[in-house]
Amino acid sequence: MTRLGIQISSVREYLQTPEDVLASFSKVSEIGYKTIQIQWINPEIPMDFIHDALKETRLECIGTQDHYDVVISHLDEVIEINDLWGGSYITVSGIPERYHSYEGCLEFAKELNKLSEFLETKGKILNFHPRYMDVFQYDGQNSLDIIFENTRSDFQFLLDIYHIIHAGLDPIEWIYKVKGRNDLIHFKDGMIDSDGNKVLMPVGQGAIRWKKIFDATIETGVKYAFAEQEKWQKDPFQCLKESYDYIMMNGIE
C-alpha cells in the first residue's frame, strides 16, 4: 500500500521558529498526514526540539532532503539527524553544474553509487530527486537515462511528477522505468496562468492528469507519496488539505 505523506518544505515560511514548527506539524497532522519528509526547517532550531515535535504530533519522519552538495558537505550531521528523527531515506536533489556533460553524468553516477553504498552501512537509503532543470540531452540520451543506466540496480530515484513533466518526460513511463527503485514519490501540481507564469496548485487542481499516475504509483509498489506545494494563492494549509482530500479519494492512504 502506498502511504500518503507531506513534504514539509511546502510550508517553509512557517518553519522558522520552534513555535512555528510545532504549529505546522500539528496542522498537517490534523489534516490527516501521518508521514513526513523533512526539508528547509530553519537549521538554528535544535534537532531535539524537532524530534520532540514529531513525537507530540505523531508524525513519522521517513527521511530528509537537500541539495547534493549540501548533503555531502554535512554528511555526518545528515546521518545524525535521520538517526534521531527515525528517517531511513536521505534524498539528494539536483545535478551540480560540474557534472553537466555526458562524462560528468557518468562521474555523478559513480559518486551516487559510492554514497549509496556508504549510507547502506549506516542503515540509510539514498534517493536522487531530479529537477526539470537537471534534464539535458547528450548524444541521443538524456542525463537521467545516463544516471539510471549507470547506477546500482537498487539505487533509488525519487520522482517529482511536476518536475518530470516540465522536463518533457512521460511520468507514467518513468514510474514504470524505475519500478523497484522508487520507494518515494512527490505529487505536485500546477498550471500556466494567463500571463504565462508557472503557478503551483493543490494536487488535482492544476493541469496534470493524475488518475494514471496514481494507478502507476500503486501498481509499481511505491511506498510513500508526498504532497508538495511551495507556493500558494491562498492559505497554504488549506492547499495541503485540498491535496490530501483529492489524493485520498484516489486510493492512496
Side-chain angles (χ1 to χ4, degrees), residues 44 67 69 94 156 211 214:
E44 295 181 0
H67 299 297
D69 282 339
Q156 292 271 325
K211 181 62 170 68
F214 292 147

Side-chain angles (χ1 to χ4, degrees), residues 44-246:
E44 295 181 0
I45 297 175
M47 295 187 299
D48 288 338
F49 178 88
I50 296 170
H51 171 261
D52 292 343
L54 289 166
K55 290 182 64 177
E56 181 173 338
T57 56
R58 299 182 300 280
L59 288 172
E60 176 194 2
C61 173
I62 60 83
T64 60
Q65 178 178 325
D66 216 321
H67 299 297
Y68 174 78
D69 282 339
V70 172
V71 171
I72 62 173
S73 62
H74 297 85
L75 189 56
D76 289 343
E77 180 182 352
V78 171
I79 294 170
E80 180 183 359
I81 62 177
N82 276 279
D83 283 342
L84 178 62
W85 299 340
S88 299
Y89 296 90
I90 294 175
T91 300
V92 296
S93 61
I95 302 176
E97 187 174 354
R98 61 186 177 278
Y99 297 121
H100 288 189
S101 66
Y102 180 85
E103 293 76 14
C105 286
L106 291 175
E107 182 62 28
F108 187 50
K110 290 180 182 178
E111 295 300 318
L112 291 172
N113 282 329
K114 291 177 184 177
L115 182 57
S116 175
E117 291 172 352
F118 172 74
L119 288 175
E120 279 188 2
T121 69
K122 304 296 183 180
K124 307 303 176 192
I125 301 168
L126 179 67
N127 280 264
F128 171 55
H129 175 312
R131 307 162 304 172
Y132 69 86
M133 64 282 282
D134 296 313
V135 180
F136 316 102
Q137 294 294 323
Y138 302 118
D139 299 327
Q141 281 188 299
N142 70 53
S143 48
L144 301 194
D145 280 321
I146 297 167
I147 294 168
F148 177 79
E149 293 169 5
N150 290 280
T151 44
R152 309 164 65 208
S153 60
D154 55 355
F155 176 75
Q156 292 271 325
F157 281 75
L158 191 164
L159 301 182
D160 181 308
I161 296 303
Y162 178 87
H163 281 276
I164 290 294
I165 289 174
H166 280 269
L169 303 176
D170 183 338
I172 307 298
E173 177 185 332
W174 268 88
I175 290 172
Y176 281 101
K177 183 170 190 164
V178 299
K179 180 180 179 179
R181 300 174 61 175
N182 62 329
D183 287 355
L184 316 180
I185 195 167
H186 282 177
F187 291 156
K188 180 160 59 178
D189 207 346
M191 60 180 292
I192 306 297
D193 67 16
S194 58
D195 296 322
N197 300 311
K198 294 177 181 177
V199 179
L200 297 182
M201 309 286 290
V203 177
Q205 298 180 25
I208 296 175
R209 298 181 179 180
W210 286 99
K211 181 62 170 68
K212 291 183 178 179
I213 293 171
F214 292 147
D215 290 345
T217 296
I218 295 169
E219 289 171 7
T220 57
V222 176
K223 294 180 180 179
Y224 297 96
F226 296 97
E228 185 177 28
Q229 184 183 347
E230 300 97 336
K231 295 182 180 180
W232 338 277
Q233 287 74 52
K234 54 187 176 184
D235 179 79
F237 295 98
Q238 179 62 32
C239 290
L240 295 181
K241 183 182 187 308
E242 291 173 11
S243 289
Y244 177 87
D245 291 343
Y246 179 78

Side-chain angles (χ1 to χ4, degrees), residues 8 11 14-15 19-29 237:
I8 203 64
V11 289
Y14 300 88
L15 302 172
E19 295 77 16
D20 284 347
V21 166
L22 181 57
S24 295
F25 282 10
S26 296
K27 288 177 181 179
V28 298
S29 179
F237 295 98

